Amino acid sequence: MQLYADIVLPLAQPVYTFAVPGGTDVAAGQAVAVQFGARKFYTGIVWRVHDRRPDFKTVKPIQRVLYDAPLLSAQQMSLWEWIASYYMCSLGEVMRVALPALMKPSGDTEEEFSGDEFRPRTECYVSLAAELRDEGRFHEVCEKIERRAPKQYEALLELAAAGDETRIATGEVARRLLRADYAVLHALERKKYIVCTQRERSVERGESAFRLPELTAHQLTALNALREQFAAGKTTALLQGVTGSGKTEIYIHLIAEVLSRGGDVLLLVPEIALTAQLIERMERIFGSRVTPYHSKLTNRRRTETYLRLNRSDGGEFVVGVRSSVFLPLKHLQLIVVDEEHDASYKQTEPAPRYNARDCAVVTARLFGGRTLLGSATPSLETWLNARSGKYGRAVLGERYGGARPPEVLISDTLRAVKPESGDAGSPRVPCRIPAGTPFVLSCRSLSDTNGLVLISNNSAGYYHVTGTEVKCTAGEEIVDLKFAVKLAVAAGASVAIEAPQIEIGKAATGYEPYRLETAEATGEAQRLVPPGAAVNLSRGDGGTLTASCR
């Protein structure tokens, strides 16, 4: 009976039907090479196999099957269908963002297509010949070559000893792990004492025992609350914790529980910079189990990661950005979405314009797993779902170690600052910031605390009084003011935010428009900091003022 396959192509097109050649076995989720149009060759994904011939005179056949196993599981195919329906795009557009570029070769000719195909890097693996696995025969051979070929003798002993410690499951040892050089191993292979096999490099798994951080009483209460909610049937929960409350430690405990059971874990983070920090921290606990996945990786590295995970038997821990939600984690039990409110989880161009947070919730449900959303400031929809009872919820209201949150002050400098001249046409005179403004109070507090005060200004406002970081310690540090508040919160510093209002004219306010220039801001900051401290301000891109004090 002639079979046909509906195939998804990486195009903004519907699925197309191709004939399955006799003797070719294809299954849903498998990658195949097909000819589309007069000359073009594409990689396609088999979506459905059936026996209904389309109403066309000619039906093109599948050229050949790619890879040794299907690239998509049934759950992944369901996710693709949900994304195509929810975000109103084609399955082909989902395929373009879901699979690494090297996994989707194309070409105008079959030769060009073959040239673009991904070929995994191979490595030489060495094992003892079958006859030498007998202990008596092994000692006989060793006595025979011990004097005549001492290097070959040492290589055999090393290979035999490696079986207890570094030999992988197949009974082979990577040649790079052996001290013997190529000539010695080649001589042993000629004598049929060893077998050398060239195949794709294996990844060694880490240990199942992890050194977990100790939790405070508040963290332990939140962790137990999440466990109870997941056990009660909640598939998604929100961990709402203030900045610095220790949400990551709770993530680590939940991740360790899943890995110890042989399940897969996906930790989504919003930025590549944050990914690098998290990976380093996770590797200190979970070692080689941690798999990074983000856009800074090469196409080859992303493709190797995808194919390795597709063959995995479980126990994988992936830390990555939004595209990681498409990885083939077949034993997925937990997805953690850190900073779930972050806008970078939403893809804007090109289609599909998906939100990785929402896709994570759907993915976990399809696999029968759990989703944990973490944030200090949850998105409105997540907060509403948690409040209505659709999601579980645990709260961390205190910072780790009893640290105090920073004090944030908002100053209306439209009324706090004005030139000392009464007429708009009068010559410009130096400005004096009134003594009661947060800028003055914050700078003077340095003499008492010898700490850090971060002052930012509203770049959309008219009165740019100052935008400085003043640090009364040795050395010099310039900080981008866009991150001033965030850095201050993390450091536990006092913060004053200069937020001038938009210029609305003298008639409405009674004040002349006035803009404090860099030189005047420098003078004001110098006057306000403790004696002996030198201040230097510079105006960067966009007119942003930064300052250092030493």
Side-chain angles (χ1 to χ4, degrees):
M1 180 177 61
Q2 177 63 55
L3 295 178
Y4 300 90
D6 295 339
I7 294 178
V8 175
L9 301 176
L11 306 169
Q13 298 283 342
V15 296
Y16 287 88
T17 303
F18 291 80
V20 179
T24 302
D25 294 328
V26 296
Q30 201 145 27
V32 293
V34 296
Q35 183 181 3
F36 186 72
R39 297 187 309 165
K40 198 71 175 179
F41 290 83
Y42 283 107
T43 299
I45 299 294
V46 176
W47 211 253
R48 192 165 58 96
V49 179
H50 55 85
D51 58 359
R52 295 189 300 276
R53 178 185 171 87
D55 297 330
F56 294 98
K57 182 177 180 180
T58 304
V59 181
K60 291 183 178 180
I62 292 173
Q63 298 294 312
R64 55 195 171 88
V65 176
L66 305 176
Y67 308 108
D68 55 358
L71 297 182
L72 301 181
S73 62
Q75 293 89 341
Q76 287 177 279
M77 295 175 68
S78 297
L79 175 65
W80 284 27
E81 290 174 341
W82 179 84
I83 291 175
S85 172
Y86 191 78
Y87 296 103
M88 294 183 291
C89 63
S90 66
L91 286 171
E93 290 172 300
V94 179
M95 178 183 174
R96 285 196 297 210
V97 302
L99 297 180
L102 290 183
M103 297 182 67
K104 309 184 294 285
S106 61
D108 293 331
T109 64
E110 193 167 358
E111 291 76 16
E112 184 178 337
F113 180 93
S114 299
D116 288 344
E117 278 189 76
F118 173 75
R119 293 171 176 81
R121 289 177 287 194
T122 60
E123 186 174 12
C124 180
Y125 287 84
V126 182
S127 64
L128 291 172
E131 64 170 335
L132 291 190
R133 294 174 187 175
D134 177 73
E135 186 174 349
R137 176 58 179 160
F138 178 79
H139 286 296
E140 180 183 340
V141 171
C142 287
E143 291 175 0
K144 180 179 178 181
I145 66 173
E146 181 177 5
R147 292 187 178 181
R148 290 188 297 177
K151 290 186 178 180
Q152 296 178 22
Y153 168 73
E154 292 174 359
L156 284 180
L157 291 181
E158 182 186 15
L159 186 58
D164 296 329
E165 298 178 1
T166 60
R167 182 178 296 178
I168 58 179
T170 59
E172 299 171 327
V173 181
R175 200 185 78 182
R176 59 185 169 83
L177 299 178
L178 300 173
R179 293 192 299 269
D181 57 25
Y182 173 79
V184 172
L185 295 177
H186 184 60
L188 289 172
E189 186 180 20
R190 283 203 320 268
K191 296 176 181 178
K192 298 184 179 180
Y193 292 156
I194 64 172
V195 177
C196 296
T197 306
Q198 199 77 17
R199 61 178 179 79
E200 189 175 351
R201 182 172 179 173
S202 300
V203 177
E204 300 171 7
R205 305 304 306 136
E207 297 294 332
S208 58
F210 312 115
R211 294 183 178 178
L212 304 180
E214 293 186 9
L215 301 181
T216 64
H218 292 94
Q219 289 173 322
L220 193 57
T221 300
L223 177 60
N224 290 332
L226 292 172
R227 287 170 175 162
E228 292 173 1
Q229 292 166 8
F230 286 147
K234 296 288 186 183
T235 59
T236 306
L238 168 66
L239 176 59
Q240 184 175 354
V242 298
T243 302
S245 59
K247 296 186 292 294
T248 305
E249 281 75 13
I250 295 180
Y251 300 162
I252 290 171
H253 277 258
L254 292 173
I255 289 168
E257 292 174 6
V258 174
L259 293 179
S260 63
R261 298 195 301 263
D264 294 335
V265 179
L266 172 61
L267 173 58
L268 288 177
V269 289
E271 301 171 4
I272 290 178
L274 183 59
T275 302
Q277 297 169 7
L278 263 172
I279 289 174
E280 182 180 353
R281 183 174 183 180
M282 294 301 172
E283 283 180 342
R284 290 198 299 265
I285 299 172
F286 299 106
S288 61
R289 284 180 179 266
V290 180
T291 300
Y293 194 84
H294 49 75
S295 59
K296 290 294 184 181
L297 299 177
T298 64
N299 284 331
R300 170 170 284 278
R301 178 77 178 276
R302 288 198 295 271
T303 301
E304 290 174 344
T305 298
Y306 191 102
L307 294 176
R308 182 183 67 79
L309 294 175
N310 195 44
R311 297 189 301 267
S312 174
D313 294 326
E316 301 290 345
F317 177 27
V318 176
V319 182
V321 291
R322 66 182 179 218
S323 59
S324 306
V325 76
F326 295 108
L327 289 174
L329 298 171
K330 298 179 181 179
H331 305 83
L332 187 62
Q333 295 184 16
L334 176 65
I335 301 180
V336 179
V337 185
D338 191 32
E339 305 294 342
E340 61 84 24
H341 63 276
D342 197 283
S344 64
Y345 282 125
K346 172 72 174 177
Q347 174 159 305
T348 55
E349 292 292 341
R353 295 166 179 85
Y354 68 97
N355 189 313
R357 179 202 60 209
D358 298 337
C359 291
V361 173
V362 174
T363 301
R365 187 173 69 241
L366 291 171
F367 279 89
R370 301 289 184 265
T371 306
L372 178 61
L373 309 176
S375 176
T377 55
S379 60
L380 182 60
E381 54 269 37
T382 299
W383 177 81
L384 183 61
N385 284 329
R387 185 175 182 181
S388 66
K390 182 178 180 180
Y391 292 173
R393 181 169 178 257
V395 178
L396 281 173
E398 297 186 7
R399 303 184 76 188
Y400 184 83
R404 293 182 302 171
E407 181 183 6
V408 179
L409 304 175
I410 299 177
S411 170
D412 179 6
T413 54
L414 179 65
R415 292 169 177 79
V417 180
K418 63 175 290 185
E420 295 180 354
S421 173
D423 299 327
S426 301
R428 186 180 179 89
V429 295
C431 173
R432 305 291 288 184
I433 301 178
T437 62
F439 176 57
V440 174
L441 298 175
S442 299
C443 289
R444 286 179 176 170
S445 69
L446 291 173
S447 60
D448 299 327
T449 64
N450 195 30
L452 175 65
V453 176
L454 296 177
I455 305 173
S456 181
N457 68 336
N458 177 12
S459 60
Y462 187 86
Y463 290 93
H464 292 257
V465 178
T466 185
T468 67
E469 176 214 343
V470 184
K471 186 174 183 181
C472 274
T473 57
E476 182 173 353
E477 184 176 358
I478 303 296
V479 177
D480 189 338
L481 294 181
K482 289 187 295 183
F483 303 106
V485 173
K486 186 174 182 180
L487 291 171
V489 169
S494 297
V495 185
I497 303 176
E498 295 291 337
Q501 297 184 8
I502 302 299
E503 163 63 18
I504 54 179
K506 179 179 178 181
T509 65
Y511 287 86
E512 291 286 348
Y514 187 82
R515 185 174 186 272
L516 188 64
E517 297 296 338
T518 304
E520 293 174 302
T522 304
E524 282 297 290
Q526 182 66 66
R527 183 175 64 88
L528 295 169
V529 297
V535 178
N536 177 41
L537 275 75
S538 60
R539 190 174 297 278
D541 295 339
T544 300
L545 282 171
T546 60
S548 62
C549 173
R550 58 180 179 178

